[in-house]
Structure formats: structure tokens, C-alpha cells
């Protein structure tokens, strides 16, 4: 799966939780989930759970704490998928 494909899937996953439509429409690797998309911490946990389900991976607490941006999420997903 390419980085672009991962970002497309990630965009689908975060869509229900965003509070800033304009930032969502310009989502890129540099988008921050909390600062840019205004996703609160409770919903960020939901995003992580949805990512786990979508990609059939397990994200530990250390990785979850780092998953604050699209770039970090893509890196974590890629590392978990390559470890499968």
C-alpha cells in the first residue's frame, strides 16, 4: 500500500471526528489531528481504534501517544503493517 493510499484511507477514518471542514479539505501529511482538524482527545482514541480495525493492526500506548498528525499516523501504520 502506498503512502497516498494510506492517507486516503486515513482521511475516510477521521472524517466523522473533524471539527474544521476547511482543514479537512486540505488534509496533507503535515496536518495535525488536534490543532488543524480540531479532533478532541476522546475522539482521537476512536480514530486509533478505527485505524486498528481498518488495517488489522494493534497500536500500543506509546505509538498512540505519537499519533498526533497524518505523517505520524502513516509512519506508525506502515511500521505495523511491515511487522505483520
Amino acid at each position: 500500500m502506498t503512502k497516498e493510499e494510506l492517507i486516503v484511507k486515513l482521511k475516510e477514518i477521521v472524517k466523522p471526528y473533524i471539527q474544521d471542514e476547511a482543514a479537512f479539505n486540505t488534509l496533507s501529511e503535515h496536518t495535525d489531528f488536534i490543532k488543524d482538524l480540531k479532533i478532541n482527545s476522546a475522539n482521537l482514541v476512536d480514530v486509533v481504534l478505527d485505524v486498528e480495525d481498518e488495517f488489522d493492526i494493534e497500536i500500543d500506548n506509546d505509538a498512540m501517544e505519537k499519533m498526533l498528525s497524518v505523517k505520524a499516523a502513516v509512519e506508525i501504520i506502515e511500521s505495523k503493517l511491515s511487522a505483520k
Side-chain angles (χ1 to χ4, degrees), residues 58-71:
E58 189 172 317
I59 298 174
D60 56 45
N61 287 342
D62 287 343
M64 189 184 302
E65 288 172 11
K66 295 175 187 156
M67 210 164 123
L68 300 175
S69 69
V70 171
K71 182 177 172 129

Side-chain angles (χ1 to χ4, degrees), residues 40-53:
N40 66 36
S41 55
N43 287 137
L44 206 49
V45 172
D46 293 330
V47 168
V48 171
L49 295 173
D50 292 349
V51 165
E52 287 181 326
D53 290 344

Side-chain angles (χ1 to χ4, degrees), residues 4 12 22-23 26 32 42 44 49 51 55 61 67 75 77 82:
E4 289 74 28
E12 292 170 17
T26 59
D32 184 285
L44 206 49
L49 295 173
V51 165
F55 296 101
N61 287 342
M67 210 164 123
E75 288 171 357
I77 293 165
S82 67

Side-chain angles (χ1 to χ4, degrees), residues 3-59:
K3 188 174 286 190
E4 289 74 28
E5 290 171 325
L6 274 178
I7 291 173
V8 168
K9 281 190 176 271
L10 200 54
K11 194 170 180 178
E12 292 170 17
I13 291 168
V14 300
K15 189 173 186 358
Y17 306 107
I18 61 149
Q19 302 297 318
D20 187 329
E21 193 74 38
F24 178 74
N25 291 333
T26 59
L27 184 137
S28 73
E29 199 173 308
H30 306 289
T31 301
D32 184 285
F33 293 135
I34 296 170
K35 290 183 190 122
D36 299 325
L37 299 179
K38 313 282 189 263
I39 298 175
N40 66 36
S41 55
N43 287 137
L44 206 49
V45 172
D46 293 330
V47 168
V48 171
L49 295 173
D50 292 349
V51 165
E52 287 181 326
D53 290 344
E54 177 68 34
F55 296 101
D56 193 28
I57 56 175
E58 189 172 317
I59 298 174

